[in-house]
Amino acid sequence: MSSNDGKGLSAWEKMQRDMVYDDFDADLFNRRVAAKNIFKQYNKTTDEQPELRRRLMEQLFGSVGSNVYVEPDFTCEFGKNIFIGNDVYINFGAVLLDCSRISIGNNVLIGPNVGMYSANHSLDPEERAQGALIGGRISIGDKAWIAGDVKIMAGVSIGEGAVIGCGSVVTHDIPPRTLAAGNPCRVIRPITEADRVGFVK
């Protein structure tokens, strides 16, 4: 985490490159305010306003696919670092702190009160007091299910089709098509044909 890297780059540009940047930067403050203004509008909408919700999501996120449903109250940091695929459901109370890229694949289910925290403040207290921060990208694979109250830390990838159990704190990558849970989150077992309940023939 060298402070000499990225000379001449803005804090936002450093953020996009996952370099150390000044979290107290004035431009970043303004970008956070802009995001708050949008998600606060979104959180006042109702189910009877799908077109307005869609417009606000398109303003807020880096990209958003079709058939995306986000329940209020939703909170993020910048919004523009969040990229959402198709057929995604995000339940009540999600907090996505996107100081690095957060990618959510297709057919993903996200339970209530899920947090995704892509921020890593410097461990050094003097650096941290001056705003030193480096992001770590979060990726959620297609068809994953993130259950309620899960917290996902910076730099974590959740594999395609994985299930993360309620209340887990995910600090490391989770392989595809596995059931994982706990604090810290650990793989319990693979998800197999034996887990089918007959809904899909």
PDB file of all heavy atoms in Angstrom, residues 66-70 83-91 96 102-111 114 116 139-147 152 158-164:
ATOM      1  N   SER A  66     -32.049  -6.663 -16.682  1.00  0.00           N
ATOM      2  CA  SER A  66     -33.507  -6.700 -16.705  1.00  0.00           C
ATOM      3  C   SER A  66     -34.037  -7.507 -15.529  1.00  0.00           C
ATOM      4  O   SER A  66     -33.356  -8.384 -14.994  1.00  0.00           O
ATOM      5  CB  SER A  66     -34.003  -7.308 -18.019  1.00  0.00           C
ATOM      6  OG  SER A  66     -33.530  -8.641 -18.163  1.00  0.00           O
ATOM      7  N   ASN A  67     -35.269  -7.183 -15.144  1.00  0.00           N
ATOM      8  CA  ASN A  67     -35.968  -7.905 -14.076  1.00  0.00           C
ATOM      9  C   ASN A  67     -35.150  -7.898 -12.781  1.00  0.00           C
ATOM     10  O   ASN A  67     -34.925  -8.933 -12.163  1.00  0.00           O
ATOM     11  CB  ASN A  67     -36.283  -9.340 -14.507  1.00  0.00           C
ATOM     12  CG  ASN A  67     -37.299  -9.996 -13.588  1.00  0.00           C
ATOM     13  OD1 ASN A  67     -38.166  -9.336 -13.016  1.00  0.00           O
ATOM     14  ND2 ASN A  67     -37.183 -11.306 -13.429  1.00  0.00           N
ATOM     15  N   VAL A  68     -34.726  -6.705 -12.386  1.00  0.00           N
ATOM     16  CA  VAL A  68     -33.997  -6.516 -11.128  1.00  0.00           C
ATOM     17  C   VAL A  68     -34.934  -5.850 -10.141  1.00  0.00           C
ATOM     18  O   VAL A  68     -35.536  -4.819 -10.431  1.00  0.00           O
ATOM     19  CB  VAL A  68     -32.732  -5.664 -11.340  1.00  0.00           C
ATOM     20  CG1 VAL A  68     -32.088  -5.308 -10.000  1.00  0.00           C
ATOM     21  CG2 VAL A  68     -31.753  -6.400 -12.235  1.00  0.00           C
ATOM     22  N   TYR A  69     -35.045  -6.440  -8.958  1.00  0.00           N
ATOM     23  CA  TYR A  69     -35.954  -5.930  -7.936  1.00  0.00           C
ATOM     24  C   TYR A  69     -35.156  -5.671  -6.664  1.00  0.00           C
ATOM     25  O   TYR A  69     -34.534  -6.586  -6.111  1.00  0.00           O
ATOM     26  CB  TYR A  69     -37.076  -6.939  -7.669  1.00  0.00           C
ATOM     27  CG  TYR A  69     -38.283  -6.340  -6.991  1.00  0.00           C
ATOM     28  CD1 TYR A  69     -39.367  -5.881  -7.730  1.00  0.00           C
ATOM     29  CD2 TYR A  69     -38.326  -6.205  -5.610  1.00  0.00           C
ATOM     30  CE1 TYR A  69     -40.472  -5.314  -7.105  1.00  0.00           C
ATOM     31  CE2 TYR A  69     -39.424  -5.646  -4.974  1.00  0.00           C
ATOM     32  CZ  TYR A  69     -40.495  -5.200  -5.732  1.00  0.00           C
ATOM     33  OH  TYR A  69     -41.575  -4.641  -5.105  1.00  0.00           O
ATOM     34  N   VAL A  70     -35.146  -4.434  -6.223  1.00  0.00           N
ATOM     35  CA  VAL A  70     -34.422  -4.034  -5.020  1.00  0.00           C
ATOM     36  C   VAL A  70     -35.429  -3.486  -4.018  1.00  0.00           C
ATOM     37  O   VAL A  70     -36.104  -2.484  -4.276  1.00  0.00           O
ATOM     38  CB  VAL A  70     -33.354  -2.964  -5.329  1.00  0.00           C
ATOM     39  CG1 VAL A  70     -32.606  -2.569  -4.055  1.00  0.00           C
ATOM     40  CG2 VAL A  70     -32.386  -3.455  -6.396  1.00  0.00           C
ATOM     41  N   PHE A  83     -22.514  -3.368 -10.296  1.00  0.00           N
ATOM     42  CA  PHE A  83     -22.911  -3.883 -11.600  1.00  0.00           C
ATOM     43  C   PHE A  83     -23.769  -5.121 -11.375  1.00  0.00           C
ATOM     44  O   PHE A  83     -23.308  -6.100 -10.781  1.00  0.00           O
ATOM     45  CB  PHE A  83     -21.677  -4.205 -12.446  1.00  0.00           C
ATOM     46  CG  PHE A  83     -20.826  -2.988 -12.719  1.00  0.00           C
ATOM     47  CD1 PHE A  83     -19.917  -2.526 -11.787  1.00  0.00           C
ATOM     48  CD2 PHE A  83     -20.970  -2.290 -13.905  1.00  0.00           C
ATOM     49  CE1 PHE A  83     -19.147  -1.395 -12.028  1.00  0.00           C
ATOM     50  CE2 PHE A  83     -20.210  -1.154 -14.163  1.00  0.00           C
ATOM     51  CZ  PHE A  83     -19.294  -0.708 -13.217  1.00  0.00           C
ATOM     52  N   ILE A  84     -25.026  -5.061 -11.837  1.00  0.00           N
ATOM     53  CA  ILE A  84     -26.019  -6.090 -11.528  1.00  0.00           C
ATOM     54  C   ILE A  84     -26.501  -6.730 -12.823  1.00  0.00           C
ATOM     55  O   ILE A  84     -26.825  -6.039 -13.794  1.00  0.00           O
ATOM     56  CB  ILE A  84     -27.210  -5.482 -10.762  1.00  0.00           C
ATOM     57  CG1 ILE A  84     -26.729  -4.783  -9.478  1.00  0.00           C
ATOM     58  CG2 ILE A  84     -28.233  -6.566 -10.419  1.00  0.00           C
ATOM     59  CD1 ILE A  84     -27.834  -4.061  -8.728  1.00  0.00           C
ATOM     60  N   GLY A  85     -26.572  -8.064 -12.831  1.00  0.00           N
ATOM     61  CA  GLY A  85     -27.037  -8.804 -13.991  1.00  0.00           C
ATOM     62  C   GLY A  85     -28.549  -8.851 -14.084  1.00  0.00           C
ATOM     63  O   GLY A  85     -29.266  -8.010 -13.529  1.00  0.00           O
ATOM     64  N   ASN A  86     -29.059  -9.869 -14.759  1.00  0.00           N
ATOM     65  CA  ASN A  86     -30.497 -10.034 -14.978  1.00  0.00           C
ATOM     66  C   ASN A  86     -31.114 -10.925 -13.896  1.00  0.00           C
ATOM     67  O   ASN A  86     -30.445 -11.792 -13.335  1.00  0.00           O
ATOM     68  CB  ASN A  86     -30.749 -10.685 -16.340  1.00  0.00           C
ATOM     69  CG  ASN A  86     -30.176  -9.885 -17.481  1.00  0.00           C
ATOM     70  OD1 ASN A  86     -30.259  -8.663 -17.509  1.00  0.00           O
ATOM     71  ND2 ASN A  86     -29.571 -10.585 -18.437  1.00  0.00           N
ATOM     72  N   ASP A  87     -32.401 -10.692 -13.642  1.00  0.00           N
ATOM     73  CA  ASP A  87     -33.197 -11.556 -12.759  1.00  0.00           C
ATOM     74  C   ASP A  87     -32.564 -11.651 -11.363  1.00  0.00           C
ATOM     75  O   ASP A  87     -32.277 -12.735 -10.857  1.00  0.00           O
ATOM     76  CB  ASP A  87     -33.343 -12.950 -13.371  1.00  0.00           C
ATOM     77  CG  ASP A  87     -33.988 -12.900 -14.747  1.00  0.00           C
ATOM     78  OD1 ASP A  87     -35.111 -12.374 -14.854  1.00  0.00           O
ATOM     79  OD2 ASP A  87     -33.356 -13.351 -15.724  1.00  0.00           O
ATOM     80  N   VAL A  88     -32.398 -10.490 -10.759  1.00  0.00           N
ATOM     81  CA  VAL A  88     -31.773 -10.388  -9.437  1.00  0.00           C
ATOM     82  C   VAL A  88     -32.784  -9.820  -8.445  1.00  0.00           C
ATOM     83  O   VAL A  88     -33.487  -8.849  -8.741  1.00  0.00           O
ATOM     84  CB  VAL A  88     -30.521  -9.494  -9.486  1.00  0.00           C
ATOM     85  CG1 VAL A  88     -29.980  -9.218  -8.088  1.00  0.00           C
ATOM     86  CG2 VAL A  88     -29.453 -10.140 -10.364  1.00  0.00           C
ATOM     87  N   TYR A  89     -32.834 -10.430  -7.262  1.00  0.00           N
ATOM     88  CA  TYR A  89     -33.690  -9.930  -6.187  1.00  0.00           C
ATOM     89  C   TYR A  89     -32.823  -9.579  -4.989  1.00  0.00           C
ATOM     90  O   TYR A  89     -32.063 -10.422  -4.489  1.00  0.00           O
ATOM     91  CB  TYR A  89     -34.735 -10.974  -5.786  1.00  0.00           C
ATOM     92  CG  TYR A  89     -35.646 -10.508  -4.672  1.00  0.00           C
ATOM     93  CD1 TYR A  89     -36.719  -9.658  -4.943  1.00  0.00           C
ATOM     94  CD2 TYR A  89     -35.431 -10.909  -3.364  1.00  0.00           C
ATOM     95  CE1 TYR A  89     -37.556  -9.220  -3.912  1.00  0.00           C
ATOM     96  CE2 TYR A  89     -36.257 -10.488  -2.335  1.00  0.00           C
ATOM     97  CZ  TYR A  89     -37.314  -9.641  -2.616  1.00  0.00           C
ATOM     98  OH  TYR A  89     -38.126  -9.218  -1.602  1.00  0.00           O
ATOM     99  N   ILE A  90     -32.935  -8.323  -4.520  1.00  0.00           N
ATOM    100  CA  ILE A  90     -32.203  -7.850  -3.349  1.00  0.00           C
ATOM    101  C   ILE A  90     -33.234  -7.475  -2.292  1.00  0.00           C
ATOM    102  O   ILE A  90     -34.025  -6.551  -2.482  1.00  0.00           O
ATOM    103  CB  ILE A  90     -31.302  -6.651  -3.698  1.00  0.00           C
ATOM    104  CG1 ILE A  90     -30.281  -7.057  -4.769  1.00  0.00           C
ATOM    105  CG2 ILE A  90     -30.598  -6.124  -2.456  1.00  0.00           C
ATOM    106  CD1 ILE A  90     -29.395  -5.922  -5.244  1.00  0.00           C
ATOM    107  N   ASN A  91     -33.222  -8.180  -1.192  1.00  0.00           N
ATOM    108  CA  ASN A  91     -34.252  -8.030  -0.163  1.00  0.00           C
ATOM    109  C   ASN A  91     -33.989  -6.792   0.704  1.00  0.00           C
ATOM    110  O   ASN A  91     -33.010  -6.069   0.511  1.00  0.00           O
ATOM    111  CB  ASN A  91     -34.312  -9.301   0.693  1.00  0.00           C
ATOM    112  CG  ASN A  91     -35.715  -9.628   1.159  1.00  0.00           C
ATOM    113  OD1 ASN A  91     -36.485  -8.734   1.492  1.00  0.00           O
ATOM    114  ND2 ASN A  91     -36.044 -10.910   1.195  1.00  0.00           N
ATOM    115  N   LEU A  96     -24.558  -1.949   0.415  1.00  0.00           N
ATOM    116  CA  LEU A  96     -23.468  -2.266  -0.503  1.00  0.00           C
ATOM    117  C   LEU A  96     -22.501  -1.092  -0.538  1.00  0.00           C
ATOM    118  O   LEU A  96     -22.787  -0.055  -1.147  1.00  0.00           O
ATOM    119  CB  LEU A  96     -24.003  -2.549  -1.917  1.00  0.00           C
ATOM    120  CG  LEU A  96     -24.465  -3.995  -2.200  1.00  0.00           C
ATOM    121  CD1 LEU A  96     -25.558  -4.436  -1.258  1.00  0.00           C
ATOM    122  CD2 LEU A  96     -24.921  -4.127  -3.646  1.00  0.00           C
ATOM    123  N   ILE A 102     -18.434  -3.982  -7.150  1.00  0.00           N
ATOM    124  CA  ILE A 102     -19.277  -5.075  -6.679  1.00  0.00           C
ATOM    125  C   ILE A 102     -20.055  -5.587  -7.881  1.00  0.00           C
ATOM    126  O   ILE A 102     -20.848  -4.858  -8.473  1.00  0.00           O
ATOM    127  CB  ILE A 102     -20.228  -4.631  -5.559  1.00  0.00           C
ATOM    128  CG1 ILE A 102     -19.439  -4.189  -4.320  1.00  0.00           C
ATOM    129  CG2 ILE A 102     -21.196  -5.763  -5.200  1.00  0.00           C
ATOM    130  CD1 ILE A 102     -20.307  -3.664  -3.186  1.00  0.00           C
ATOM    131  N   SER A 103     -19.797  -6.841  -8.257  1.00  0.00           N
ATOM    132  CA  SER A 103     -20.448  -7.449  -9.412  1.00  0.00           C
ATOM    133  C   SER A 103     -21.394  -8.534  -8.942  1.00  0.00           C
ATOM    134  O   SER A 103     -20.992  -9.444  -8.195  1.00  0.00           O
ATOM    135  CB  SER A 103     -19.406  -8.058 -10.355  1.00  0.00           C
ATOM    136  OG  SER A 103     -18.511  -7.080 -10.822  1.00  0.00           O
ATOM    137  N   ILE A 104     -22.647  -8.435  -9.368  1.00  0.00           N
ATOM    138  CA  ILE A 104     -23.678  -9.411  -9.006  1.00  0.00           C
ATOM    139  C   ILE A 104     -24.176 -10.038 -10.301  1.00  0.00           C
ATOM    140  O   ILE A 104     -24.615  -9.344 -11.211  1.00  0.00           O
ATOM    141  CB  ILE A 104     -24.832  -8.723  -8.254  1.00  0.00           C
ATOM    142  CG1 ILE A 104     -24.311  -8.099  -6.952  1.00  0.00           C
ATOM    143  CG2 ILE A 104     -25.954  -9.717  -7.960  1.00  0.00           C
ATOM    144  CD1 ILE A 104     -25.311  -7.222  -6.236  1.00  0.00           C
ATOM    145  N   GLY A 105     -24.079 -11.366 -10.398  1.00  0.00           N
ATOM    146  CA  GLY A 105     -24.409 -12.062 -11.631  1.00  0.00           C
ATOM    147  C   GLY A 105     -25.903 -12.182 -11.881  1.00  0.00           C
ATOM    148  O   GLY A 105     -26.728 -11.488 -11.270  1.00  0.00           O
ATOM    149  N   ASN A 106     -26.266 -13.105 -12.752  1.00  0.00           N
ATOM    150  CA  ASN A 106     -27.661 -13.344 -13.130  1.00  0.00           C
ATOM    151  C   ASN A 106     -28.323 -14.332 -12.170  1.00  0.00           C
ATOM    152  O   ASN A 106     -27.666 -15.219 -11.623  1.00  0.00           O
ATOM    153  CB  ASN A 106     -27.735 -13.909 -14.548  1.00  0.00           C
ATOM    154  CG  ASN A 106     -27.108 -13.007 -15.575  1.00  0.00           C
ATOM    155  OD1 ASN A 106     -27.339 -11.797 -15.588  1.00  0.00           O
ATOM    156  ND2 ASN A 106     -26.295 -13.584 -16.452  1.00  0.00           N
ATOM    157  N   ASN A 107     -29.631 -14.164 -11.980  1.00  0.00           N
ATOM    158  CA  ASN A 107     -30.426 -15.092 -11.164  1.00  0.00           C
ATOM    159  C   ASN A 107     -29.895 -15.216  -9.740  1.00  0.00           C
ATOM    160  O   ASN A 107     -29.865 -16.301  -9.160  1.00  0.00           O
ATOM    161  CB  ASN A 107     -30.483 -16.478 -11.821  1.00  0.00           C
ATOM    162  CG  ASN A 107     -31.100 -16.436 -13.199  1.00  0.00           C
ATOM    163  OD1 ASN A 107     -30.399 -16.539 -14.206  1.00  0.00           O
ATOM    164  ND2 ASN A 107     -32.412 -16.279 -13.261  1.00  0.00           N
ATOM    165  N   VAL A 108     -29.492 -14.091  -9.176  1.00  0.00           N
ATOM    166  CA  VAL A 108     -28.951 -14.067  -7.814  1.00  0.00           C
ATOM    167  C   VAL A 108     -30.046 -13.644  -6.834  1.00  0.00           C
ATOM    168  O   VAL A 108     -30.819 -12.723  -7.110  1.00  0.00           O
ATOM    169  CB  VAL A 108     -27.752 -13.098  -7.714  1.00  0.00           C
ATOM    170  CG1 VAL A 108     -27.323 -12.900  -6.270  1.00  0.00           C
ATOM    171  CG2 VAL A 108     -26.591 -13.627  -8.555  1.00  0.00           C
ATOM    172  N   LEU A 109     -30.104 -14.317  -5.696  1.00  0.00           N
ATOM    173  CA  LEU A 109     -31.000 -13.955  -4.604  1.00  0.00           C
ATOM    174  C   LEU A 109     -30.168 -13.434  -3.444  1.00  0.00           C
ATOM    175  O   LEU A 109     -29.225 -14.103  -2.994  1.00  0.00           O
ATOM    176  CB  LEU A 109     -31.813 -15.167  -4.139  1.00  0.00           C
ATOM    177  CG  LEU A 109     -32.773 -15.791  -5.151  1.00  0.00           C
ATOM    178  CD1 LEU A 109     -33.421 -17.028  -4.541  1.00  0.00           C
ATOM    179  CD2 LEU A 109     -33.832 -14.787  -5.578  1.00  0.00           C
ATOM    180  N   ILE A 110     -30.514 -12.244  -2.935  1.00  0.00           N
ATOM    181  CA  ILE A 110     -29.814 -11.638  -1.814  1.00  0.00           C
ATOM    182  C   ILE A 110     -30.826 -11.384  -0.715  1.00  0.00           C
ATOM    183  O   ILE A 110     -31.808 -10.656  -0.909  1.00  0.00           O
ATOM    184  CB  ILE A 110     -29.105 -10.344  -2.241  1.00  0.00           C
ATOM    185  CG1 ILE A 110     -28.026 -10.683  -3.280  1.00  0.00           C
ATOM    186  CG2 ILE A 110     -28.516  -9.606  -1.040  1.00  0.00           C
ATOM    187  CD1 ILE A 110     -27.331  -9.487  -3.860  1.00  0.00           C
ATOM    188  N   GLY A 111     -30.611 -11.986   0.444  1.00  0.00           N
ATOM    189  CA  GLY A 111     -31.561 -11.925   1.545  1.00  0.00           C
ATOM    190  C   GLY A 111     -31.554 -10.593   2.269  1.00  0.00           C
ATOM    191  O   GLY A 111     -30.781  -9.686   1.951  1.00  0.00           O
ATOM    192  N   VAL A 114     -28.320  -7.911   4.143  1.00  0.00           N
ATOM    193  CA  VAL A 114     -27.002  -8.344   3.665  1.00  0.00           C
ATOM    194  C   VAL A 114     -26.094  -7.128   3.515  1.00  0.00           C
ATOM    195  O   VAL A 114     -26.518  -6.061   3.061  1.00  0.00           O
ATOM    196  CB  VAL A 114     -27.126  -9.096   2.321  1.00  0.00           C
ATOM    197  CG1 VAL A 114     -25.772  -9.221   1.631  1.00  0.00           C
ATOM    198  CG2 VAL A 114     -27.730 -10.473   2.557  1.00  0.00           C
ATOM    199  N   MET A 116     -22.307  -5.884   1.925  1.00  0.00           N
ATOM    200  CA  MET A 116     -21.114  -6.149   1.117  1.00  0.00           C
ATOM    201  C   MET A 116     -20.191  -4.958   1.308  1.00  0.00           C
ATOM    202  O   MET A 116     -20.540  -3.832   0.947  1.00  0.00           O
ATOM    203  CB  MET A 116     -21.482  -6.332  -0.359  1.00  0.00           C
ATOM    204  CG  MET A 116     -22.422  -7.479  -0.614  1.00  0.00           C
ATOM    205  SD  MET A 116     -22.711  -7.742  -2.393  1.00  0.00           S
ATOM    206  CE  MET A 116     -24.125  -8.827  -2.341  1.00  0.00           C
ATOM    207  N   SER A 139     -17.381 -10.216  -5.923  1.00  0.00           N
ATOM    208  CA  SER A 139     -18.069 -10.809  -7.075  1.00  0.00           C
ATOM    209  C   SER A 139     -19.014 -11.906  -6.591  1.00  0.00           C
ATOM    210  O   SER A 139     -18.606 -12.786  -5.826  1.00  0.00           O
ATOM    211  CB  SER A 139     -17.045 -11.396  -8.051  1.00  0.00           C
ATOM    212  OG  SER A 139     -17.695 -12.038  -9.132  1.00  0.00           O
ATOM    213  N   ILE A 140     -20.268 -11.836  -7.051  1.00  0.00           N
ATOM    214  CA  ILE A 140     -21.285 -12.834  -6.732  1.00  0.00           C
ATOM    215  C   ILE A 140     -21.655 -13.547  -8.025  1.00  0.00           C
ATOM    216  O   ILE A 140     -22.148 -12.924  -8.969  1.00  0.00           O
ATOM    217  CB  ILE A 140     -22.547 -12.195  -6.112  1.00  0.00           C
ATOM    218  CG1 ILE A 140     -22.182 -11.225  -4.973  1.00  0.00           C
ATOM    219  CG2 ILE A 140     -23.510 -13.289  -5.648  1.00  0.00           C
ATOM    220  CD1 ILE A 140     -21.503 -11.847  -3.811  1.00  0.00           C
ATOM    221  N   GLY A 141     -21.410 -14.840  -8.089  1.00  0.00           N
ATOM    222  CA  GLY A 141     -21.639 -15.601  -9.317  1.00  0.00           C
ATOM    223  C   GLY A 141     -23.106 -15.827  -9.620  1.00  0.00           C
ATOM    224  O   GLY A 141     -23.982 -15.675  -8.755  1.00  0.00           O
ATOM    225  N   ASP A 142     -23.385 -16.212 -10.860  1.00  0.00           N
ATOM    226  CA  ASP A 142     -24.746 -16.515 -11.302  1.00  0.00           C
ATOM    227  C   ASP A 142     -25.397 -17.553 -10.385  1.00  0.00           C
ATOM    228  O   ASP A 142     -24.749 -18.499  -9.917  1.00  0.00           O
ATOM    229  CB  ASP A 142     -24.737 -17.071 -12.724  1.00  0.00           C
ATOM    230  CG  ASP A 142     -24.304 -16.058 -13.764  1.00  0.00           C
ATOM    231  OD1 ASP A 142     -24.215 -14.855 -13.437  1.00  0.00           O
ATOM    232  OD2 ASP A 142     -24.051 -16.479 -14.918  1.00  0.00           O
ATOM    233  N   LYS A 143     -26.667 -17.361 -10.130  1.00  0.00           N
ATOM    234  CA  LYS A 143     -27.512 -18.315  -9.399  1.00  0.00           C
ATOM    235  C   LYS A 143     -27.087 -18.519  -7.945  1.00  0.00           C
ATOM    236  O   LYS A 143     -27.509 -19.493  -7.310  1.00  0.00           O
ATOM    237  CB  LYS A 143     -27.583 -19.665 -10.118  1.00  0.00           C
ATOM    238  CG  LYS A 143     -28.185 -19.584 -11.510  1.00  0.00           C
ATOM    239  CD  LYS A 143     -28.244 -20.941 -12.173  1.00  0.00           C
ATOM    240  CE  LYS A 143     -28.769 -20.838 -13.597  1.00  0.00           C
ATOM    241  NZ  LYS A 143     -28.774 -22.147 -14.283  1.00  0.00           N
ATOM    242  N   ALA A 144     -26.275 -17.638  -7.419  1.00  0.00           N
ATOM    243  CA  ALA A 144     -25.921 -17.731  -6.000  1.00  0.00           C
ATOM    244  C   ALA A 144     -27.082 -17.245  -5.140  1.00  0.00           C
ATOM    245  O   ALA A 144     -27.908 -16.438  -5.574  1.00  0.00           O
ATOM    246  CB  ALA A 144     -24.670 -16.916  -5.705  1.00  0.00           C
ATOM    247  N   TRP A 145     -27.124 -17.746  -3.912  1.00  0.00           N
ATOM    248  CA  TRP A 145     -28.113 -17.295  -2.929  1.00  0.00           C
ATOM    249  C   TRP A 145     -27.354 -16.861  -1.692  1.00  0.00           C
ATOM    250  O   TRP A 145     -26.663 -17.657  -1.050  1.00  0.00           O
ATOM    251  CB  TRP A 145     -29.099 -18.423  -2.611  1.00  0.00           C
ATOM    252  CG  TRP A 145     -30.035 -18.144  -1.475  1.00  0.00           C
ATOM    253  CD1 TRP A 145     -30.415 -16.923  -0.977  1.00  0.00           C
ATOM    254  CD2 TRP A 145     -30.720 -19.116  -0.669  1.00  0.00           C
ATOM    255  NE1 TRP A 145     -31.282 -17.064   0.081  1.00  0.00           N
ATOM    256  CE2 TRP A 145     -31.485 -18.411   0.286  1.00  0.00           C
ATOM    257  CE3 TRP A 145     -30.752 -20.499  -0.675  1.00  0.00           C
ATOM    258  CZ2 TRP A 145     -32.268 -19.056   1.233  1.00  0.00           C
ATOM    259  CZ3 TRP A 145     -31.537 -21.147   0.265  1.00  0.00           C
ATOM    260  CH2 TRP A 145     -32.296 -20.430   1.207  1.00  0.00           C
ATOM    261  N   ILE A 146     -27.491 -15.585  -1.357  1.00  0.00           N
ATOM    262  CA  ILE A 146     -26.872 -15.016  -0.171  1.00  0.00           C
ATOM    263  C   ILE A 146     -27.999 -14.823   0.844  1.00  0.00           C
ATOM    264  O   ILE A 146     -28.857 -13.955   0.667  1.00  0.00           O
ATOM    265  CB  ILE A 146     -26.180 -13.668  -0.473  1.00  0.00           C
ATOM    266  CG1 ILE A 146     -25.320 -13.757  -1.746  1.00  0.00           C
ATOM    267  CG2 ILE A 146     -25.371 -13.209   0.727  1.00  0.00           C
ATOM    268  CD1 ILE A 146     -24.219 -14.766  -1.690  1.00  0.00           C
ATOM    269  N   ALA A 147     -28.022 -15.611   1.901  1.00  0.00           N
ATOM    270  CA  ALA A 147     -29.140 -15.585   2.846  1.00  0.00           C
ATOM    271  C   ALA A 147     -29.054 -14.367   3.768  1.00  0.00           C
ATOM    272  O   ALA A 147     -28.116 -13.567   3.709  1.00  0.00           O
ATOM    273  CB  ALA A 147     -29.179 -16.884   3.649  1.00  0.00           C
ATOM    274  N   ILE A 152     -20.252  -9.788   3.587  1.00  0.00           N
ATOM    275  CA  ILE A 152     -19.211 -10.198   2.642  1.00  0.00           C
ATOM    276  C   ILE A 152     -18.115  -9.149   2.642  1.00  0.00           C
ATOM    277  O   ILE A 152     -18.370  -7.967   2.404  1.00  0.00           O
ATOM    278  CB  ILE A 152     -19.807 -10.391   1.232  1.00  0.00           C
ATOM    279  CG1 ILE A 152     -20.903 -11.461   1.272  1.00  0.00           C
ATOM    280  CG2 ILE A 152     -18.709 -10.778   0.239  1.00  0.00           C
ATOM    281  CD1 ILE A 152     -21.661 -11.618  -0.027  1.00  0.00           C
ATOM    282  N   ILE A 158     -17.873 -15.121  -4.621  1.00  0.00           N
ATOM    283  CA  ILE A 158     -18.810 -16.216  -4.334  1.00  0.00           C
ATOM    284  C   ILE A 158     -19.068 -16.935  -5.646  1.00  0.00           C
ATOM    285  O   ILE A 158     -19.495 -16.323  -6.623  1.00  0.00           O
ATOM    286  CB  ILE A 158     -20.136 -15.690  -3.757  1.00  0.00           C
ATOM    287  CG1 ILE A 158     -19.908 -14.760  -2.553  1.00  0.00           C
ATOM    288  CG2 ILE A 158     -21.058 -16.857  -3.411  1.00  0.00           C
ATOM    289  CD1 ILE A 158     -19.334 -15.412  -1.354  1.00  0.00           C
ATOM    290  N   GLY A 159     -18.820 -18.243  -5.686  1.00  0.00           N
ATOM    291  CA  GLY A 159     -18.926 -18.994  -6.926  1.00  0.00           C
ATOM    292  C   GLY A 159     -20.351 -19.189  -7.408  1.00  0.00           C
ATOM    293  O   GLY A 159     -21.322 -19.046  -6.656  1.00  0.00           O
ATOM    294  N   GLU A 160     -20.470 -19.547  -8.673  1.00  0.00           N
ATOM    295  CA  GLU A 160     -21.763 -19.794  -9.323  1.00  0.00           C
ATOM    296  C   GLU A 160     -22.535 -20.856  -8.549  1.00  0.00           C
ATOM    297  O   GLU A 160     -22.004 -21.903  -8.185  1.00  0.00           O
ATOM    298  CB  GLU A 160     -21.503 -20.256 -10.767  1.00  0.00           C
ATOM    299  CG  GLU A 160     -22.743 -20.655 -11.535  1.00  0.00           C
ATOM    300  CD  GLU A 160     -23.077 -22.140 -11.413  1.00  0.00           C
ATOM    301  OE1 GLU A 160     -22.157 -22.943 -11.172  1.00  0.00           O
ATOM    302  OE2 GLU A 160     -24.281 -22.473 -11.542  1.00  0.00           O
ATOM    303  N   GLY A 161     -23.805 -20.550  -8.251  1.00  0.00           N
ATOM    304  CA  GLY A 161     -24.688 -21.518  -7.615  1.00  0.00           C
ATOM    305  C   GLY A 161     -24.444 -21.773  -6.154  1.00  0.00           C
ATOM    306  O   GLY A 161     -25.109 -22.623  -5.552  1.00  0.00           O
ATOM    307  N   ALA A 162     -23.520 -21.036  -5.526  1.00  0.00           N
ATOM    308  CA  ALA A 162     -23.231 -21.261  -4.106  1.00  0.00           C
ATOM    309  C   ALA A 162     -24.359 -20.724  -3.233  1.00  0.00           C
ATOM    310  O   ALA A 162     -25.113 -19.834  -3.630  1.00  0.00           O
ATOM    311  CB  ALA A 162     -21.911 -20.589  -3.724  1.00  0.00           C
ATOM    312  N   VAL A 163     -24.460 -21.260  -2.028  1.00  0.00           N
ATOM    313  CA  VAL A 163     -25.418 -20.799  -1.024  1.00  0.00           C
ATOM    314  C   VAL A 163     -24.638 -20.415   0.229  1.00  0.00           C
ATOM    315  O   VAL A 163     -23.853 -21.218   0.743  1.00  0.00           O
ATOM    316  CB  VAL A 163     -26.458 -21.884  -0.681  1.00  0.00           C
ATOM    317  CG1 VAL A 163     -27.377 -21.404   0.434  1.00  0.00           C
ATOM    318  CG2 VAL A 163     -27.265 -22.262  -1.919  1.00  0.00           C
ATOM    319  N   ILE A 164     -24.882 -19.191   0.719  1.00  0.00           N
ATOM    320  CA  ILE A 164     -24.234 -18.712   1.938  1.00  0.00           C
ATOM    321  C   ILE A 164     -25.300 -18.628   3.029  1.00  0.00           C
ATOM    322  O   ILE A 164     -26.278 -17.896   2.900  1.00  0.00           O
ATOM    323  CB  ILE A 164     -23.579 -17.334   1.736  1.00  0.00           C
ATOM    324  CG1 ILE A 164     -22.695 -17.333   0.493  1.00  0.00           C
ATOM    325  CG2 ILE A 164     -22.790 -16.945   2.984  1.00  0.00           C
ATOM    326  CD1 ILE A 164     -21.546 -18.319   0.524  1.00  0.00           C
TER     327      ILE A 164
END
